[in-house]
């Protein structure tokens, strides 16, 4: 009997962000395995027709992803525990791959999973389902899995430090960008700094806004925040911008096709996160030739190398000085553009997918 790879894509969102972008970009590199994809009908448009046909995917419920909030997460965990094993048996699966840290616990299904970050443990929130998930469910998954793929060396070290997972069981495989999509467009620079991502507290947007307010001529510029608003935190950021008298625009979710132009025309992408498993916006900005200001913590130096201004994210003055440097020194901007374009060339989804494929092959 031939070996059958099953890929669990039950978490895919209809508006792709980090985990969904990762999954949809590595699948093409795994086509040689002729995998069966467990995916909802609603998520299928994320895959071009020449990657997925009707014989490749098995339709599953579409109400199990983060689009459906905490109930979606709970449905997915229950489905993973009680329904997925039967699907795996029906498909005569030899190996299950889930691009997030989920699998049926206490089963004999050989599994490989991806761990993206341990932010819910680094920044725990009382009564948060994600903190509970990271504290109790994820460590059991990692201990039971045959192998764990990590987005970065920083994430792999977190798995060792928080969960005591042996280093031999972990492989760091960096994420990437679509070079045909995120590229230098040679467009005129407009008067805005740009942040891309959620408004979670660890994203450090309060300090970023405070730093923007320190620019001597901040009234000449705007700070744009591109990401789905969070009713728990976005109002606080709006109030801070109002109190400081600075121009901050909340753009909501920006479609994938619109991101390259938005990034290309920014003065700089400001991404001062307190911790990241990888930091895709940093790589995508460098691929567009846009200067980057980011943190000197976690995985971000792995991504940026020497091609960005690395700052202490807890130091508002340091963030402000980096923003002012880019505004006032054109030669710094030009140098960062050149270095960023070179750094981005080191990352490709083809390389990422091939590295993951080699890991999966060793367990088939």
């Amino acid at each position: 009997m031939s070996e059958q790879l099953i890929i669990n894509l039950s978490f895919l969102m209809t508006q792709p962000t980090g985990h969904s972008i990762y999954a949809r970009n590595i699948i093409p590199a795994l086509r040689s395995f002729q995998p069966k994809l467990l995916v909802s009908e609603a998520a299928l448009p994320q895959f071009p027709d020449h990657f997925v046909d009707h014989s490749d995917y098995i339709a599953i419920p579409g109400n199990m992803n983060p689009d459906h909030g905490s109930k979606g997460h709970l449905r997915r965990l229950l489905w993973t525990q009680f329904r997925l094993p039967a699907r795996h048996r029906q498909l005569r699966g030899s190996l299950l791959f889930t691009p997030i840290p989920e699998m049926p616990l206490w089963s004999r299904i050989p599994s490989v999973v991806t761990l993206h970050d341990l932010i819910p443990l680094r920044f725990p929130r009382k009564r948060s389902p994600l903190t509970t998930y990271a504290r109790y469910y994820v460590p059991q998954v990692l201990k039971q899995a045959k192998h764990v793929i990590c987005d970065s060396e920083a994430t792999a070290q977190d798995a060792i430090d928080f969960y005591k997972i042996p280093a031999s069981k972990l492989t760091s495989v960096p994420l990437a960008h679509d070079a045909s999509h995120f590229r230098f467009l040679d467009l005129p620079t407009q008067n805005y700094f740009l942040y891309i991502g959620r408004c979670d507290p660890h994203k450090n947007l309060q300090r970023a806004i405070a730093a923007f307010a320190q620019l001597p001529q901040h009234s000449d510029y705007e700070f744009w925040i591109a990401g789905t608003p969070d009713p728990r935190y976005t109002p606080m950021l709006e109030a801070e911008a109002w109190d400081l008298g600075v121009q901050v625009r909340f753009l909501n979710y920006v479609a994938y096709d619109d991101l390259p132009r938005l990034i290309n025309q920014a003065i700089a992408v400001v991404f001062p996160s307190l911790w990241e498993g990888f930091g895709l916006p940093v790589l995508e900005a460098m691929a567009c030739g846009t200067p980057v200001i980011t943190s000197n913590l976690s995985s971000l130096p792995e991504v940026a190398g020497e091609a960005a201004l690395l700052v202490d994210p807890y130091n508002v003055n340091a963030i402000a000085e980096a923003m002012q440097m880019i505004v006032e020194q054109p030669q710094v901007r030009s140098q960062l553009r050149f270095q960023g374009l070179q750094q981005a060339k080191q990352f490709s989804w083809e390389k990422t997918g091939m590295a993951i494929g080699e890991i999966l092959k060793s367990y088939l």
Side-chain angles (χ1 to χ4, degrees):
M1 183 179 69
S2 61
E3 302 283 354
Q4 179 65 65
L5 174 65
I6 310 296
I7 302 181
N8 174 19
L9 299 174
S10 56
F11 59 93
L12 287 187
M13 299 173 65
T14 53
Q15 291 185 333
T17 55
H19 297 172
S20 295
I21 291 171
Y22 168 74
R24 77 179 190 183
N25 279 287
I26 62 173
I27 294 301
L30 305 179
R31 285 287 290 155
S32 62
F33 292 97
Q34 297 183 308
K36 296 293 184 184
L37 309 183
L38 303 180
V39 61
S40 71
E41 295 277 359
L44 271 181
Q46 298 182 40
F47 298 95
D49 291 340
H50 59 282
F51 291 146
V52 179
D53 60 37
H54 288 285
S55 65
D56 293 327
Y57 75 89
I58 308 299
I60 60 175
N63 62 350
M64 302 189 295
N65 60 45
D67 290 335
H68 298 270
S70 297
K71 289 183 179 179
H73 284 285
L74 179 59
R75 289 189 197 105
R76 188 177 68 255
L77 291 178
L78 292 173
W79 177 87
T80 299
Q81 187 64 34
F82 299 108
R83 301 292 185 185
L84 179 54
R87 288 280 188 163
H88 194 268
R89 286 194 300 271
Q90 290 166 3
L91 296 169
R92 298 185 178 181
S94 304
L95 180 68
L96 175 68
F97 172 49
T98 306
I100 60 174
E102 294 182 359
M103 62 176 286
L105 296 179
W106 309 295
S107 76
R108 296 184 178 181
I109 297 175
S111 297
V112 174
V113 300
T114 298
L115 178 67
H116 297 281
D117 62 68
L118 290 181
I119 288 169
L121 291 188
R122 283 194 167 273
F123 303 94
R125 299 199 301 263
K126 289 183 179 179
R127 296 182 293 277
S128 167
L130 282 178
T131 299
T132 302
Y133 169 89
R135 185 169 288 154
Y136 300 107
Y137 177 73
V138 174
Q140 295 303 317
V141 169
L142 303 192
K143 289 171 184 176
Q144 187 171 313
K146 292 289 186 181
H147 204 82
V148 180
I149 299 164
C150 300
D151 288 355
S152 62
E153 294 293 344
T155 295
Q157 190 60 51
D158 273 357
I160 295 169
D161 294 340
F162 281 90
Y163 295 146
K164 311 304 179 189
I165 303 299
S168 59
K169 196 175 181 177
L170 306 167
T171 301
S172 173
V173 180
L175 308 190
H177 69 289
D178 181 352
S180 67
H181 189 71
F182 294 100
R183 65 189 193 280
F184 179 56
L185 298 177
D186 198 18
L187 297 171
T189 301
Q190 295 189 12
N191 67 333
Y192 61 87
F193 290 90
L194 177 66
Y195 163 82
I196 304 168
R198 299 190 306 273
C199 295
D200 292 347
H202 79 273
K203 297 294 187 176
N204 205 29
L205 285 170
Q206 282 187 291
R207 289 189 181 91
I209 292 171
F212 177 62
Q214 289 188 12
L215 290 179
Q217 295 177 307
H218 65 72
S219 60
D220 293 338
Y221 304 99
E222 295 183 348
F223 189 13
W224 292 10
I225 295 176
T228 304
D230 189 317
R232 297 168 296 179
Y233 311 118
T234 303
M236 291 188 293
L237 299 174
E238 292 172 332
E240 170 147 349
W242 176 265
D243 290 342
L244 293 171
V246 291
Q247 301 179 78
V248 179
R249 291 181 59 185
F250 293 84
L251 304 181
N252 210 317
Y253 176 83
V254 175
Y256 183 75
D257 289 344
D258 296 332
L259 278 174
R261 176 176 289 273
L262 188 71
I263 295 171
N264 265 269
Q265 295 195 279
I267 298 167
V269 165
V270 182
F271 196 77
S273 178
L274 301 179
W275 205 267
E276 291 292 321
F278 185 80
L280 272 175
V282 169
L283 178 56
E284 291 165 352
M286 292 190 301
C288 291
T290 299
V292 174
I293 299 167
T294 193
S295 306
N296 59 6
L297 300 177
S298 68
S299 63
L300 294 166
E302 295 179 47
V303 180
E306 298 180 357
L309 297 181
L310 300 178
V311 299
D312 176 357
Y314 292 94
N315 188 329
V316 172
N317 292 335
I319 302 170
E321 288 169 5
M323 297 170 84
Q324 189 169 348
M325 183 183 298
I326 288 178
V327 166
E328 295 181 349
Q329 300 183 33
Q331 70 276 16
V332 171
R333 180 178 172 81
S334 297
Q335 182 66 18
L336 288 173
R337 173 182 291 122
F338 173 78
Q339 290 178 311
L341 290 169
Q342 297 305 307
Q343 176 74 0
K345 290 178 182 177
Q346 300 182 40
F347 301 84
S348 76
W349 284 120
E350 183 180 10
K351 286 171 59 176
T352 300
M354 289 177 61
I356 292 171
E358 288 301 311
I359 295 168
L360 298 178
K361 186 188 298 183
S362 67
Y363 291 97
L364 279 170

